[in-house]
Amino acid sequence: MNRTIGLISTNYSVPGFGSVTEVRPAASIPFGGRYRLLDFALSNMVNSRIQTVGLVTPYFYRSIIDHVGAGKPWDLSRKEGGLYILPGTVFGFHEENARFLFRDLLHNLEYLRQGDGDYILVSSGTLVANIDYQPMITRHELEGKPVTLLYKKMQPGEKRPGRYLTLDGDTVAGIRRADEGENLLLDCFIVDKSFLLRMARDYAALDYMDFLDILAHVLPEVAVGCCAFDGYVAFMDGMEDYFRASLDLLDSSVRRELFQSDRPIRTKAHDTPPALYAPGSAVKNSVMTAGSIVEGSVENSVCFRNVRIEKGAVVKNCVLMEKCVVKAGARLENVVCDKNVTVSENKIVCGTAEHPCVLAKGGVV
């Protein structure tokens, strides 16, 4: 079988995240108590036996580099292959649903040329799912089409802005942007390296476009394949999606699908003692992470490392990122607290399930 190398794009903006992405790229947003969104894309590639991965970073890449380092948690700190940190073009691409700026590919042709793979598996850094790419790679090789797109069949009545595929059997007949449809293109595809290098030569003048938009224009001349994924996917187009996906983790069936023992989601390790539950505290149906101290009440919430809930405080339907402090008597409901937020004594902060209240990093309420 021909070898496949990976390419993960993180050089794009997601305006729906607001203040959360003022201090970090969307791919490095903390998720699930101990992970970052990027962990899923990296782990999926490594679990699919891809040993060379390029990571296209934006100009404010500090949090990404701090998290991934040399790639050791993903077994990518190696002499052959491994993790390559690649520069993205300044400011990236601000159009909604755009993830693969063609200029970023052109800017990193040396990585693509020198890579030892005949195929390149490309993914966004915010695709939250546990995907085995091997069946997709095998299908791509057997069918012989230069591109294979990953998609998810949507349920009737389910709405989600994005790119939708029109299929003719196993061939993609069209790609269109819409608010709803049947076959939603996920932020992932496999492309023959030779085909991508040809596109880089022939369409260099369109470097301001997304690769998938260019592909949509050349469909009449190019046979494009497709592969369906029917597992759980957490879409990440803004804080409402993030909040919903975070609380989905309280469902044991979702946790079992995302965090499989034979396909682990790897992340940067922290040496932190277990959470401490003080006498009189109450925790119900929540994700509590190492280093937290709980003296109050927590229900249906996700709490990251080193969170402190003081006596008499009530936290319900919330996401509290690392080192947040909820003082005595405070009450939070339907709230997302970024890192290092402090909620003062007896304060009440409430959002709604559809529109959670978001407290910016380092804030004091």
Side-chain angles (χ1 to χ4, degrees):
M1 178 181 290
N2 290 320
R3 294 192 62 184
T4 302
I5 63 173
L7 185 69
I8 298 174
S9 171
T10 67
N11 188 31
Y12 53 86
S13 62
V14 184
F17 278 118
S19 64
V20 174
T21 50
E22 288 179 0
V23 295
R24 61 172 75 85
S28 65
I29 293 175
F31 180 74
R34 60 189 295 260
Y35 303 94
R36 293 186 185 252
L37 298 183
L38 177 60
D39 292 337
F40 292 87
L42 280 170
S43 298
N44 286 337
M45 291 197 176
V46 171
N47 291 338
S48 300
R49 301 194 294 278
I50 296 174
Q51 298 179 340
T52 301
V53 178
L55 184 59
V56 180
T57 60
Y59 71 98
F60 59 138
Y61 55 78
R62 185 203 59 79
S63 62
I64 288 181
I65 301 301
D66 177 69
H67 183 66
V68 302
K72 186 175 181 180
W74 299 270
D75 195 29
L76 290 174
S77 178
R78 51 177 62 237
K79 292 181 179 179
E80 294 186 9
L83 182 66
Y84 290 77
I85 304 299
L86 305 175
T89 52
V90 176
F91 299 121
F93 199 28
H94 293 269
E95 184 179 342
E96 201 165 348
N97 297 321
R99 299 289 187 266
F100 309 107
L101 181 61
F102 199 45
R103 186 179 299 138
D104 283 343
L105 298 177
L106 297 177
H107 202 58
N108 291 288
L109 285 179
E110 195 64 24
Y111 166 75
L112 302 178
R113 289 195 184 103
Q114 290 187 354
D116 55 2
D118 296 313
Y119 308 135
I120 303 165
L121 194 149
V122 186
S123 171
S124 76
T126 51
L127 178 59
V128 176
N130 194 317
I131 305 173
D132 181 1
Y133 289 129
Q134 278 302 317
M136 183 181 176
I137 294 170
T138 300
R139 181 169 186 164
H140 178 81
E141 184 178 28
L142 292 176
E143 291 189 350
K145 296 169 183 173
V147 184
T148 300
L149 305 178
L150 186 68
Y151 73 95
K152 182 173 180 63
K153 190 171 288 294
M154 304 296 281
Q155 298 298 319
E158 189 176 1
K159 293 186 177 181
R160 166 66 52 180
R163 293 183 177 88
Y164 286 87
L165 306 182
T166 301
L167 303 182
D168 181 9
D170 294 330
T171 301
V172 177
I175 305 174
R176 63 185 179 88
R177 292 176 181 261
D179 291 333
E180 59 182 304
E182 183 179 1
N183 303 307
L184 177 62
L185 174 60
L186 300 180
D187 295 331
C188 181
F189 58 90
I190 301 177
V191 57
D192 288 357
K193 180 166 72 174
S194 58
F195 176 78
L196 185 57
L197 293 178
R198 269 200 317 276
M199 287 194 70
R201 179 195 65 202
D202 296 342
Y203 297 96
L206 302 179
D207 65 344
Y208 59 90
M209 294 180 66
D210 187 280
F211 171 82
L212 293 173
D213 290 331
I214 299 175
L215 185 65
H217 286 294
V218 302
L219 268 181
E221 291 81 37
V222 178
V224 175
C226 58
C227 183
F229 176 69
D230 58 4
Y232 175 85
V233 176
F235 298 99
M236 290 292 169
D237 293 327
M239 284 311 301
E240 290 78 10
D241 286 339
Y242 174 85
F243 184 63
R244 190 180 307 113
S246 295
L247 297 190
D248 279 352
L249 297 178
L250 304 179
D251 184 335
S252 59
S253 64
V254 172
R255 290 199 304 273
R256 282 194 299 270
E257 185 165 348
L258 275 182
F259 305 110
Q260 302 175 30
S261 59
D262 59 335
R263 297 181 47 76
I265 302 301
R266 309 164 194 228
T267 191
K268 180 181 178 181
H270 292 262
D271 296 325
T272 311
L276 172 64
Y277 304 96
S281 64
V283 178
K284 180 180 179 181
N285 192 37
S286 296
V287 174
M288 302 300 302
T289 315
S292 296
I293 300 175
V294 184
E295 299 173 284
S297 172
V298 181
E299 182 178 354
N300 297 333
S301 297
V302 177
C303 295
F304 285 70
R305 296 181 182 90
N306 302 312
V307 164
R308 178 152 192 170
I309 314 295
E310 293 189 355
K311 189 173 182 178
V314 177
V315 175
K316 185 176 181 180
N317 302 332
C318 293
V319 178
L320 306 184
M321 296 187 195
E322 192 171 349
K323 296 182 180 179
C324 287
V325 178
V326 183
K327 296 287 190 176
R331 179 181 177 86
L332 302 182
E333 186 167 357
N334 295 313
V335 175
V336 177
C337 293
D338 206 337
K339 285 185 172 183
N340 298 298
V341 166
T342 299
V343 180
S344 303
E345 290 185 5
N346 301 314
K347 292 293 184 181
I348 299 176
V349 183
C350 294
T352 67
E354 294 76 23
H355 301 287
C357 178
V358 180
L359 303 181
K361 183 177 181 179
V364 178
V365 179

